Amino acid sequence: MSILVIAEHHDGQLADATAHVVAAAQQIQQAGGGDIELLVIGDGVQAVAESAAGLDGVSKVRVADNAVYAHQLAEPTAELIASLAEEYSHVLAAASTTGKNVLPRVAALKDVSQLSDVIAVAGADTFKRPIYAGNAIATVRSGDALKVVTVRATAFDAVGEGPSATIEAVDTVVENTLSSFVSEELATGDRPELGSAKVVISGGRGMGNGENFKLLEGIADKLGAAIGASRAAVDAGFVPNDMQVGQTGKIVAPDLYIAVGISGAIQHLAGMKDSKVIVAINKDDEAPIFQVADYGLVADLFEALPELESKL
Amino acid sequence: MKVLVAVKRVIDYNVKVRVKADNTDVDLTNVKMAMNPFCEIAVEEAVRLKERGVASEIVAVTVGPKAAQEQLRTALALGADRAIHIETDDKVESAVAAKLLAKVVEEEQPGLTLLGKQAIDTDNNQTGQMLAALTGQPQGTFASEIQVEDDKLRVTREIDGGLQTLELSLPAVVTTDLRLNEPRYAKLPDIMKAKKKTIDTKSPSDLGVETSANVELLKVETPAEREGGVKVSSVDELVDKLKNEAKVIS
């Protein structure tokens, strides 16, 4: 039976996370799974479907394009996916806020369990996932006929371009009287998206205030980096919560992660400890962050950051 | 309006867990347990709704072993009116917890059910969504603000990229994010008073729900340790190492 991947998209564009989830689907395919199909759900998403059709390994793209699916509200979206699920052995989505919102609802509608935030495929029904804030890795096997799985995008390398897959419309319309969209407040910026950036520089409570986060901007510009924050910095009101890296925020795994004024609490480490190279800049040489950092600099960040910016 | 709050007993968030030597699970013997932090936020929100005159009664519910009554007592001390304990020693996965809670929702008919967005032990982030599906109710997940207006609920959700506000019809299920509120501490007199409040105990079989698992836990391992790195003495040395040793910048 085929594997269904729910495409992740924002603002009419296919999100990078989708290519990572397809990579996870390919591993399931190699372990004995069927064809990989993508499902694009939304309002005005033809362009998304066309980008999705170009992903390597995808045999078919199905598109449910209707005003009822605008903003991918959980109620109609989950019901749509559940209505199609009979044809598939697996339903996969990125462990983004959208995937986490919708997929458990799908699983319950189909009376199956769900595996969340999977980081490795050990077989068509066996997966690895972190538990206890990443302090333990569980290997779990699903006994359900339908496997509903969210995938940690950063744990899989994105698939490249492939031959264009066929695009087919899904006409099912699920009326929704339970919920409606009111408004959205999105952080704007021209920096790379935190979840997929190659370089991330994050500030913590040690930044002192929101104004001082500007010290990170020049460095971020020179490195093409996204700017993140620890939960302490978010809770202190320095920066908005969508910048938060950690167990309760975003999970990142860039090539280079620079932690500035971050002590390294368990909850923060859960969000970044799979980064390739970790740099810590902290004036407290006992800070736990130094235990995971490849390169640690014990220094006052207010002196070190301008110097770093000038030397890059 | 009656508010139902689901709470979970988990390892205290400050404890560094250890994996058992035989790799069957993490070792929870003699480990400090507490109410899951996201559940504390759910209880606090229910209490605030009552203080604002929106909630008339708060019912706390948990699924777990006998010891989980401690967490129900905590919820009662914080302001819940009564509690329901679905007692089981089985490890209950989210899908089963959602089925048990759906039975309680059916019996109690709350206008609003509050849960934490995830438990810090399994990190599943599933139960609220599953409960909403099973009861046919709308869901407001990862809530950082909620307002009840007549028969509607306005919920602001934390999403990738910012915030989103939805309007849900009541009854509804809401899961809490960290920034929804700051939970209060229980005062000693309230802890004493909580001892007089009632806890109804039920078993999964009373509710007609099988607790057998669909997901089998095969192995639990310690994640690969990161090699301890080096300390550099200056910004110059750091830039040099990043360029020439790690080769992550050019």
PDB file of all heavy atoms in Angstrom, chain A residues 93-132:
ATOM      1  N   ALA A  93       3.476  13.423   8.271  1.00  0.00           N
ATOM      2  CA  ALA A  93       3.531  14.883   8.149  1.00  0.00           C
ATOM      3  C   ALA A  93       4.708  15.360   8.965  1.00  0.00           C
ATOM      4  O   ALA A  93       5.212  14.645   9.836  1.00  0.00           O
ATOM      5  CB  ALA A  93       2.242  15.524   8.660  1.00  0.00           C
ATOM      6  N   ALA A  94       5.157  16.571   8.682  1.00  0.00           N
ATOM      7  CA  ALA A  94       6.237  17.159   9.475  1.00  0.00           C
ATOM      8  C   ALA A  94       5.719  17.418  10.887  1.00  0.00           C
ATOM      9  O   ALA A  94       4.550  17.737  11.076  1.00  0.00           O
ATOM     10  CB  ALA A  94       6.684  18.469   8.837  1.00  0.00           C
ATOM     11  N   ALA A  95       6.611  17.296  11.854  1.00  0.00           N
ATOM     12  CA  ALA A  95       6.239  17.618  13.239  1.00  0.00           C
ATOM     13  C   ALA A  95       6.309  19.133  13.435  1.00  0.00           C
ATOM     14  O   ALA A  95       7.018  19.645  14.289  1.00  0.00           O
ATOM     15  CB  ALA A  95       7.146  16.887  14.217  1.00  0.00           C
ATOM     16  N   SER A  96       5.564  19.844  12.592  1.00  0.00           N
ATOM     17  CA  SER A  96       5.436  21.305  12.692  1.00  0.00           C
ATOM     18  C   SER A  96       4.186  21.570  13.514  1.00  0.00           C
ATOM     19  O   SER A  96       3.480  20.635  13.880  1.00  0.00           O
ATOM     20  CB  SER A  96       5.239  21.876  11.294  1.00  0.00           C
ATOM     21  OG  SER A  96       4.041  21.325  10.755  1.00  0.00           O
ATOM     22  N   THR A  97       3.873  22.844  13.766  1.00  0.00           N
ATOM     23  CA  THR A  97       2.641  23.086  14.527  1.00  0.00           C
ATOM     24  C   THR A  97       1.415  22.609  13.739  1.00  0.00           C
ATOM     25  O   THR A  97       0.437  22.175  14.331  1.00  0.00           O
ATOM     26  CB  THR A  97       2.477  24.570  14.935  1.00  0.00           C
ATOM     27  OG1 THR A  97       2.699  25.399  13.813  1.00  0.00           O
ATOM     28  CG2 THR A  97       3.450  24.933  16.042  1.00  0.00           C
ATOM     29  N   THR A  98       1.487  22.657  12.405  1.00  0.00           N
ATOM     30  CA  THR A  98       0.351  22.169  11.611  1.00  0.00           C
ATOM     31  C   THR A  98       0.228  20.649  11.720  1.00  0.00           C
ATOM     32  O   THR A  98      -0.847  20.121  11.989  1.00  0.00           O
ATOM     33  CB  THR A  98       0.522  22.562  10.123  1.00  0.00           C
ATOM     34  OG1 THR A  98       0.840  23.940  10.054  1.00  0.00           O
ATOM     35  CG2 THR A  98      -0.739  22.283   9.340  1.00  0.00           C
ATOM     36  N   GLY A  99       1.339  19.947  11.519  1.00  0.00           N
ATOM     37  CA  GLY A  99       1.319  18.484  11.610  1.00  0.00           C
ATOM     38  C   GLY A  99       0.893  18.007  12.990  1.00  0.00           C
ATOM     39  O   GLY A  99       0.086  17.079  13.121  1.00  0.00           O
ATOM     40  N   LYS A 100       1.428  18.657  14.017  1.00  0.00           N
ATOM     41  CA  LYS A 100       1.097  18.257  15.390  1.00  0.00           C
ATOM     42  C   LYS A 100      -0.371  18.536  15.715  1.00  0.00           C
ATOM     43  O   LYS A 100      -0.971  17.855  16.528  1.00  0.00           O
ATOM     44  CB  LYS A 100       1.955  19.042  16.385  1.00  0.00           C
ATOM     45  CG  LYS A 100       3.411  18.652  16.421  1.00  0.00           C
ATOM     46  CD  LYS A 100       4.111  19.611  17.386  1.00  0.00           C
ATOM     47  CE  LYS A 100       5.600  19.399  17.416  1.00  0.00           C
ATOM     48  NZ  LYS A 100       6.228  20.473  18.210  1.00  0.00           N
ATOM     49  N   ASN A 101      -0.920  19.547  15.078  1.00  0.00           N
ATOM     50  CA  ASN A 101      -2.313  19.914  15.325  1.00  0.00           C
ATOM     51  C   ASN A 101      -3.268  18.919  14.673  1.00  0.00           C
ATOM     52  O   ASN A 101      -4.248  18.497  15.274  1.00  0.00           O
ATOM     53  CB  ASN A 101      -2.551  21.323  14.767  1.00  0.00           C
ATOM     54  CG  ASN A 101      -3.901  21.903  15.125  1.00  0.00           C
ATOM     55  OD1 ASN A 101      -4.396  21.684  16.230  1.00  0.00           O
ATOM     56  ND2 ASN A 101      -4.502  22.629  14.207  1.00  0.00           N
ATOM     57  N   VAL A 102      -2.945  18.536  13.440  1.00  0.00           N
ATOM     58  CA  VAL A 102      -3.907  17.780  12.632  1.00  0.00           C
ATOM     59  C   VAL A 102      -3.779  16.256  12.772  1.00  0.00           C
ATOM     60  O   VAL A 102      -4.780  15.549  12.895  1.00  0.00           O
ATOM     61  CB  VAL A 102      -3.767  18.184  11.143  1.00  0.00           C
ATOM     62  CG1 VAL A 102      -4.624  17.305  10.252  1.00  0.00           C
ATOM     63  CG2 VAL A 102      -4.145  19.653  10.957  1.00  0.00           C
ATOM     64  N   LEU A 103      -2.534  15.746  12.766  1.00  0.00           N
ATOM     65  CA  LEU A 103      -2.389  14.288  12.660  1.00  0.00           C
ATOM     66  C   LEU A 103      -2.969  13.474  13.829  1.00  0.00           C
ATOM     67  O   LEU A 103      -3.565  12.421  13.597  1.00  0.00           O
ATOM     68  CB  LEU A 103      -0.934  13.900  12.374  1.00  0.00           C
ATOM     69  CG  LEU A 103      -0.785  13.288  10.964  1.00  0.00           C
ATOM     70  CD1 LEU A 103      -1.281  14.235   9.900  1.00  0.00           C
ATOM     71  CD2 LEU A 103       0.613  12.816  10.681  1.00  0.00           C
ATOM     72  N   PRO A 104      -2.817  13.929  15.094  1.00  0.00           N
ATOM     73  CA  PRO A 104      -3.441  13.139  16.159  1.00  0.00           C
ATOM     74  C   PRO A 104      -4.965  13.065  16.002  1.00  0.00           C
ATOM     75  O   PRO A 104      -5.591  12.071  16.358  1.00  0.00           O
ATOM     76  CB  PRO A 104      -3.070  13.895  17.438  1.00  0.00           C
ATOM     77  CG  PRO A 104      -1.862  14.684  17.075  1.00  0.00           C
ATOM     78  CD  PRO A 104      -2.049  15.056  15.631  1.00  0.00           C
ATOM     79  N   ARG A 105      -5.539  14.119  15.437  1.00  0.00           N
ATOM     80  CA  ARG A 105      -6.984  14.117  15.194  1.00  0.00           C
ATOM     81  C   ARG A 105      -7.325  13.065  14.132  1.00  0.00           C
ATOM     82  O   ARG A 105      -8.316  12.347  14.245  1.00  0.00           O
ATOM     83  CB  ARG A 105      -7.454  15.524  14.780  1.00  0.00           C
ATOM     84  CG  ARG A 105      -8.961  15.701  14.876  1.00  0.00           C
ATOM     85  CD  ARG A 105      -9.409  17.152  14.725  1.00  0.00           C
ATOM     86  NE  ARG A 105     -10.874  17.186  14.700  1.00  0.00           N
ATOM     87  CZ  ARG A 105     -11.648  17.675  15.672  1.00  0.00           C
ATOM     88  NH1 ARG A 105     -11.110  18.222  16.722  1.00  0.00           N
ATOM     89  NH2 ARG A 105     -12.957  17.621  15.570  1.00  0.00           N
ATOM     90  N   VAL A 106      -6.473  12.959  13.120  1.00  0.00           N
ATOM     91  CA  VAL A 106      -6.656  11.933  12.092  1.00  0.00           C
ATOM     92  C   VAL A 106      -6.562  10.544  12.726  1.00  0.00           C
ATOM     93  O   VAL A 106      -7.399   9.663  12.477  1.00  0.00           O
ATOM     94  CB  VAL A 106      -5.587  12.068  10.978  1.00  0.00           C
ATOM     95  CG1 VAL A 106      -5.682  10.919   9.986  1.00  0.00           C
ATOM     96  CG2 VAL A 106      -5.716  13.414  10.265  1.00  0.00           C
ATOM     97  N   ALA A 107      -5.527  10.341  13.552  1.00  0.00           N
ATOM     98  CA  ALA A 107      -5.306   9.031  14.177  1.00  0.00           C
ATOM     99  C   ALA A 107      -6.528   8.611  14.985  1.00  0.00           C
ATOM    100  O   ALA A 107      -6.997   7.470  14.893  1.00  0.00           O
ATOM    101  CB  ALA A 107      -4.059   9.073  15.068  1.00  0.00           C
ATOM    102  N   ALA A 108      -7.076   9.549  15.773  1.00  0.00           N
ATOM    103  CA  ALA A 108      -8.240   9.215  16.599  1.00  0.00           C
ATOM    104  C   ALA A 108      -9.454   8.908  15.738  1.00  0.00           C
ATOM    105  O   ALA A 108     -10.224   7.990  16.045  1.00  0.00           O
ATOM    106  CB  ALA A 108      -8.541  10.356  17.573  1.00  0.00           C
ATOM    107  N   LEU A 109      -9.628   9.640  14.637  1.00  0.00           N
ATOM    108  CA  LEU A 109     -10.762   9.371  13.743  1.00  0.00           C
ATOM    109  C   LEU A 109     -10.648   7.979  13.132  1.00  0.00           C
ATOM    110  O   LEU A 109     -11.640   7.344  12.833  1.00  0.00           O
ATOM    111  CB  LEU A 109     -10.848  10.430  12.629  1.00  0.00           C
ATOM    112  CG  LEU A 109     -11.241  11.849  13.061  1.00  0.00           C
ATOM    113  CD1 LEU A 109     -11.117  12.830  11.887  1.00  0.00           C
ATOM    114  CD2 LEU A 109     -12.670  11.889  13.618  1.00  0.00           C
ATOM    115  N   LYS A 110      -9.408   7.515  12.955  1.00  0.00           N
ATOM    116  CA  LYS A 110      -9.186   6.177  12.392  1.00  0.00           C
ATOM    117  C   LYS A 110      -8.993   5.119  13.481  1.00  0.00           C
ATOM    118  O   LYS A 110      -8.672   3.966  13.180  1.00  0.00           O
ATOM    119  CB  LYS A 110      -7.954   6.178  11.464  1.00  0.00           C
ATOM    120  CG  LYS A 110      -8.034   7.115  10.271  1.00  0.00           C
ATOM    121  CD  LYS A 110      -9.262   6.925   9.419  1.00  0.00           C
ATOM    122  CE  LYS A 110      -9.315   5.580   8.695  1.00  0.00           C
ATOM    123  NZ  LYS A 110     -10.572   5.431   7.931  1.00  0.00           N
ATOM    124  N   ASP A 111      -9.126   5.519  14.739  1.00  0.00           N
ATOM    125  CA  ASP A 111      -8.970   4.613  15.888  1.00  0.00           C
ATOM    126  C   ASP A 111      -7.611   3.910  15.900  1.00  0.00           C
ATOM    127  O   ASP A 111      -7.505   2.705  16.107  1.00  0.00           O
ATOM    128  CB  ASP A 111     -10.112   3.579  15.928  1.00  0.00           C
ATOM    129  CG  ASP A 111     -10.157   2.837  17.271  1.00  0.00           C
ATOM    130  OD1 ASP A 111      -9.574   3.346  18.250  1.00  0.00           O
ATOM    131  OD2 ASP A 111     -10.762   1.753  17.332  1.00  0.00           O
ATOM    132  N   VAL A 112      -6.549   4.683  15.658  1.00  0.00           N
ATOM    133  CA  VAL A 112      -5.192   4.135  15.756  1.00  0.00           C
ATOM    134  C   VAL A 112      -4.347   5.066  16.637  1.00  0.00           C
ATOM    135  O   VAL A 112      -4.758   6.190  16.927  1.00  0.00           O
ATOM    136  CB  VAL A 112      -4.515   3.994  14.370  1.00  0.00           C
ATOM    137  CG1 VAL A 112      -5.273   3.002  13.504  1.00  0.00           C
ATOM    138  CG2 VAL A 112      -4.395   5.345  13.663  1.00  0.00           C
ATOM    139  N   SER A 113      -3.175   4.589  17.027  1.00  0.00           N
ATOM    140  CA  SER A 113      -2.246   5.423  17.781  1.00  0.00           C
ATOM    141  C   SER A 113      -1.415   6.266  16.813  1.00  0.00           C
ATOM    142  O   SER A 113      -1.477   6.063  15.604  1.00  0.00           O
ATOM    143  CB  SER A 113      -1.326   4.558  18.634  1.00  0.00           C
ATOM    144  OG  SER A 113      -2.067   4.000  19.687  1.00  0.00           O
ATOM    145  N   GLN A 114      -0.634   7.177  17.377  1.00  0.00           N
ATOM    146  CA  GLN A 114       0.239   7.976  16.529  1.00  0.00           C
ATOM    147  C   GLN A 114       1.655   7.930  17.077  1.00  0.00           C
ATOM    148  O   GLN A 114       1.850   7.823  18.293  1.00  0.00           O
ATOM    149  CB  GLN A 114      -0.219   9.430  16.507  1.00  0.00           C
ATOM    150  CG  GLN A 114       0.628  10.263  15.539  1.00  0.00           C
ATOM    151  CD  GLN A 114       0.441  11.756  15.702  1.00  0.00           C
ATOM    152  OE1 GLN A 114      -0.594  12.281  15.350  1.00  0.00           O
ATOM    153  NE2 GLN A 114       1.444  12.419  16.238  1.00  0.00           N
ATOM    154  N   LEU A 115       2.631   7.997  16.185  1.00  0.00           N
ATOM    155  CA  LEU A 115       4.020   8.118  16.624  1.00  0.00           C
ATOM    156  C   LEU A 115       4.463   9.539  16.309  1.00  0.00           C
ATOM    157  O   LEU A 115       4.382   9.983  15.169  1.00  0.00           O
ATOM    158  CB  LEU A 115       4.898   7.108  15.883  1.00  0.00           C
ATOM    159  CG  LEU A 115       4.466   5.646  16.084  1.00  0.00           C
ATOM    160  CD1 LEU A 115       5.308   4.706  15.237  1.00  0.00           C
ATOM    161  CD2 LEU A 115       4.544   5.253  17.543  1.00  0.00           C
ATOM    162  N   SER A 116       4.912  10.257  17.340  1.00  0.00           N
ATOM    163  CA  SER A 116       5.240  11.674  17.181  1.00  0.00           C
ATOM    164  C   SER A 116       6.738  11.900  17.034  1.00  0.00           C
ATOM    165  O   SER A 116       7.532  11.252  17.712  1.00  0.00           O
ATOM    166  CB  SER A 116       4.776  12.458  18.417  1.00  0.00           C
ATOM    167  OG  SER A 116       3.378  12.440  18.530  1.00  0.00           O
ATOM    168  N   ASP A 117       7.089  12.858  16.155  1.00  0.00           N
ATOM    169  CA  ASP A 117       8.437  13.399  16.117  1.00  0.00           C
ATOM    170  C   ASP A 117       9.508  12.325  15.880  1.00  0.00           C
ATOM    171  O   ASP A 117      10.544  12.294  16.549  1.00  0.00           O
ATOM    172  CB  ASP A 117       8.700  14.099  17.464  1.00  0.00           C
ATOM    173  CG  ASP A 117       9.530  15.349  17.305  1.00  0.00           C
ATOM    174  OD1 ASP A 117       9.796  15.751  16.169  1.00  0.00           O
ATOM    175  OD2 ASP A 117       9.932  15.909  18.344  1.00  0.00           O
ATOM    176  N   VAL A 118       9.241  11.468  14.917  1.00  0.00           N
ATOM    177  CA  VAL A 118      10.137  10.351  14.619  1.00  0.00           C
ATOM    178  C   VAL A 118      11.467  10.864  14.049  1.00  0.00           C
ATOM    179  O   VAL A 118      11.487  11.758  13.210  1.00  0.00           O
ATOM    180  CB  VAL A 118       9.417   9.396  13.643  1.00  0.00           C
ATOM    181  CG1 VAL A 118      10.388   8.533  12.871  1.00  0.00           C
ATOM    182  CG2 VAL A 118       8.396   8.558  14.396  1.00  0.00           C
ATOM    183  N   ILE A 119      12.590  10.304  14.544  1.00  0.00           N
ATOM    184  CA  ILE A 119      13.907  10.771  14.082  1.00  0.00           C
ATOM    185  C   ILE A 119      14.652   9.732  13.253  1.00  0.00           C
ATOM    186  O   ILE A 119      15.684  10.032  12.665  1.00  0.00           O
ATOM    187  CB  ILE A 119      14.807  11.202  15.272  1.00  0.00           C
ATOM    188  CG1 ILE A 119      14.958  10.068  16.288  1.00  0.00           C
ATOM    189  CG2 ILE A 119      14.251  12.453  15.938  1.00  0.00           C
ATOM    190  CD1 ILE A 119      16.074  10.304  17.293  1.00  0.00           C
ATOM    191  N   ALA A 120      14.130   8.474  13.215  1.00  0.00           N
ATOM    192  CA  ALA A 120      14.781   7.450  12.390  1.00  0.00           C
ATOM    193  C   ALA A 120      13.773   6.373  12.043  1.00  0.00           C
ATOM    194  O   ALA A 120      12.857   6.084  12.815  1.00  0.00           O
ATOM    195  CB  ALA A 120      15.977   6.838  13.124  1.00  0.00           C
ATOM    196  N   VAL A 121      13.954   5.798  10.852  1.00  0.00           N
ATOM    197  CA  VAL A 121      13.110   4.695  10.404  1.00  0.00           C
ATOM    198  C   VAL A 121      13.906   3.411  10.582  1.00  0.00           C
ATOM    199  O   VAL A 121      14.982   3.263  10.019  1.00  0.00           O
ATOM    200  CB  VAL A 121      12.723   4.874   8.913  1.00  0.00           C
ATOM    201  CG1 VAL A 121      11.944   3.671   8.399  1.00  0.00           C
ATOM    202  CG2 VAL A 121      11.934   6.157   8.728  1.00  0.00           C
ATOM    203  N   ALA A 122      13.377   2.489  11.411  1.00  0.00           N
ATOM    204  CA  ALA A 122      14.092   1.228  11.637  1.00  0.00           C
ATOM    205  C   ALA A 122      13.408   0.077  10.912  1.00  0.00           C
ATOM    206  O   ALA A 122      13.878  -1.044  10.916  1.00  0.00           O
ATOM    207  CB  ALA A 122      14.177   0.942  13.138  1.00  0.00           C
ATOM    208  N   GLY A 123      12.285   0.354  10.275  1.00  0.00           N
ATOM    209  CA  GLY A 123      11.524  -0.649   9.533  1.00  0.00           C
ATOM    210  C   GLY A 123      10.217  -0.014   9.125  1.00  0.00           C
ATOM    211  O   GLY A 123       9.927   1.116   9.517  1.00  0.00           O
ATOM    212  N   ALA A 124       9.406  -0.739   8.335  1.00  0.00           N
ATOM    213  CA  ALA A 124       8.163  -0.147   7.853  1.00  0.00           C
ATOM    214  C   ALA A 124       7.195   0.148   9.003  1.00  0.00           C
ATOM    215  O   ALA A 124       6.326   1.005   8.890  1.00  0.00           O
ATOM    216  CB  ALA A 124       7.515  -1.069   6.830  1.00  0.00           C
ATOM    217  N   ASP A 125       7.361  -0.571  10.131  1.00  0.00           N
ATOM    218  CA  ASP A 125       6.479  -0.331  11.272  1.00  0.00           C
ATOM    219  C   ASP A 125       7.247   0.045  12.539  1.00  0.00           C
ATOM    220  O   ASP A 125       6.669   0.157  13.608  1.00  0.00           O
ATOM    221  CB  ASP A 125       5.595  -1.564  11.542  1.00  0.00           C
ATOM    222  CG  ASP A 125       6.421  -2.807  11.837  1.00  0.00           C
ATOM    223  OD1 ASP A 125       7.684  -2.727  11.804  1.00  0.00           O
ATOM    224  OD2 ASP A 125       5.821  -3.866  12.108  1.00  0.00           O
ATOM    225  N   THR A 126       8.561   0.214  12.426  1.00  0.00           N
ATOM    226  CA  THR A 126       9.398   0.457  13.604  1.00  0.00           C
ATOM    227  C   THR A 126      10.183   1.767  13.439  1.00  0.00           C
ATOM    228  O   THR A 126      10.800   1.997  12.396  1.00  0.00           O
ATOM    229  CB  THR A 126      10.368  -0.727  13.816  1.00  0.00           C
ATOM    230  OG1 THR A 126       9.601  -1.928  13.826  1.00  0.00           O
ATOM    231  CG2 THR A 126      11.109  -0.601  15.137  1.00  0.00           C
ATOM    232  N   PHE A 127      10.113   2.579  14.467  1.00  0.00           N
ATOM    233  CA  PHE A 127      10.686   3.923  14.375  1.00  0.00           C
ATOM    234  C   PHE A 127      11.398   4.286  15.665  1.00  0.00           C
ATOM    235  O   PHE A 127      11.123   3.720  16.718  1.00  0.00           O
ATOM    236  CB  PHE A 127       9.569   4.943  14.126  1.00  0.00           C
ATOM    237  CG  PHE A 127       8.774   4.677  12.880  1.00  0.00           C
ATOM    238  CD1 PHE A 127       7.650   3.852  12.925  1.00  0.00           C
ATOM    239  CD2 PHE A 127       9.153   5.217  11.665  1.00  0.00           C
ATOM    240  CE1 PHE A 127       6.919   3.578  11.777  1.00  0.00           C
ATOM    241  CE2 PHE A 127       8.425   4.950  10.509  1.00  0.00           C
ATOM    242  CZ  PHE A 127       7.306   4.131  10.569  1.00  0.00           C
ATOM    243  N   LYS A 128      12.301   5.258  15.572  1.00  0.00           N
ATOM    244  CA  LYS A 128      12.945   5.793  16.770  1.00  0.00           C
ATOM    245  C   LYS A 128      12.425   7.197  17.020  1.00  0.00           C
ATOM    246  O   LYS A 128      12.249   7.963  16.072  1.00  0.00           O
ATOM    247  CB  LYS A 128      14.467   5.836  16.597  1.00  0.00           C
ATOM    248  CG  LYS A 128      15.071   4.459  16.589  1.00  0.00           C
ATOM    249  CD  LYS A 128      16.573   4.511  16.629  1.00  0.00           C
ATOM    250  CE  LYS A 128      17.092   3.078  16.583  1.00  0.00           C
ATOM    251  NZ  LYS A 128      18.255   2.858  17.379  1.00  0.00           N
ATOM    252  N   ARG A 129      12.195   7.489  18.293  1.00  0.00           N
ATOM    253  CA  ARG A 129      11.743   8.840  18.633  1.00  0.00           C
ATOM    254  C   ARG A 129      12.286   9.238  19.998  1.00  0.00           C
ATOM    255  O   ARG A 129      12.450   8.403  20.887  1.00  0.00           O
ATOM    256  CB  ARG A 129      10.213   8.936  18.601  1.00  0.00           C
ATOM    257  CG  ARG A 129       9.457   7.926  19.476  1.00  0.00           C
ATOM    258  CD  ARG A 129       7.965   8.194  19.430  1.00  0.00           C
ATOM    259  NE  ARG A 129       7.692   9.573  19.761  1.00  0.00           N
ATOM    260  CZ  ARG A 129       7.370   9.998  20.990  1.00  0.00           C
ATOM    261  NH1 ARG A 129       7.219   9.146  21.986  1.00  0.00           N
ATOM    262  NH2 ARG A 129       7.182  11.262  21.223  1.00  0.00           N
ATOM    263  N   PRO A 130      12.587  10.537  20.161  1.00  0.00           N
ATOM    264  CA  PRO A 130      13.100  10.990  21.449  1.00  0.00           C
ATOM    265  C   PRO A 130      11.983  11.118  22.485  1.00  0.00           C
ATOM    266  O   PRO A 130      10.860  11.507  22.139  1.00  0.00           O
ATOM    267  CB  PRO A 130      13.689  12.361  21.134  1.00  0.00           C
ATOM    268  CG  PRO A 130      13.013  12.816  19.892  1.00  0.00           C
ATOM    269  CD  PRO A 130      12.525  11.608  19.167  1.00  0.00           C
ATOM    270  N   ILE A 131      12.294  10.775  23.721  1.00  0.00           N
ATOM    271  CA  ILE A 131      11.354  10.982  24.833  1.00  0.00           C
ATOM    272  C   ILE A 131      12.111  11.711  25.949  1.00  0.00           C
ATOM    273  O   ILE A 131      13.339  11.843  25.877  1.00  0.00           O
ATOM    274  CB  ILE A 131      10.753   9.643  25.343  1.00  0.00           C
ATOM    275  CG1 ILE A 131      11.855   8.629  25.663  1.00  0.00           C
ATOM    276  CG2 ILE A 131       9.802   9.054  24.312  1.00  0.00           C
ATOM    277  CD1 ILE A 131      11.348   7.317  26.275  1.00  0.00           C
ATOM    278  N   TYR A 132      11.396  12.174  26.957  1.00  0.00           N
ATOM    279  CA  TYR A 132      12.019  12.899  28.070  1.00  0.00           C
ATOM    280  C   TYR A 132      12.951  13.997  27.563  1.00  0.00           C
ATOM    281  O   TYR A 132      14.145  14.032  27.879  1.00  0.00           O
ATOM    282  CB  TYR A 132      12.768  11.936  28.996  1.00  0.00           C
ATOM    283  CG  TYR A 132      11.860  10.987  29.730  1.00  0.00           C
ATOM    284  CD1 TYR A 132      11.528   9.759  29.177  1.00  0.00           C
ATOM    285  CD2 TYR A 132      11.311  11.319  30.968  1.00  0.00           C
ATOM    286  CE1 TYR A 132      10.669   8.884  29.828  1.00  0.00           C
ATOM    287  CE2 TYR A 132      10.447  10.460  31.626  1.00  0.00           C
ATOM    288  CZ  TYR A 132      10.139   9.243  31.062  1.00  0.00           C
ATOM    289  OH  TYR A 132       9.282   8.383  31.712  1.00  0.00           O
TER     290      TYR A 132
END
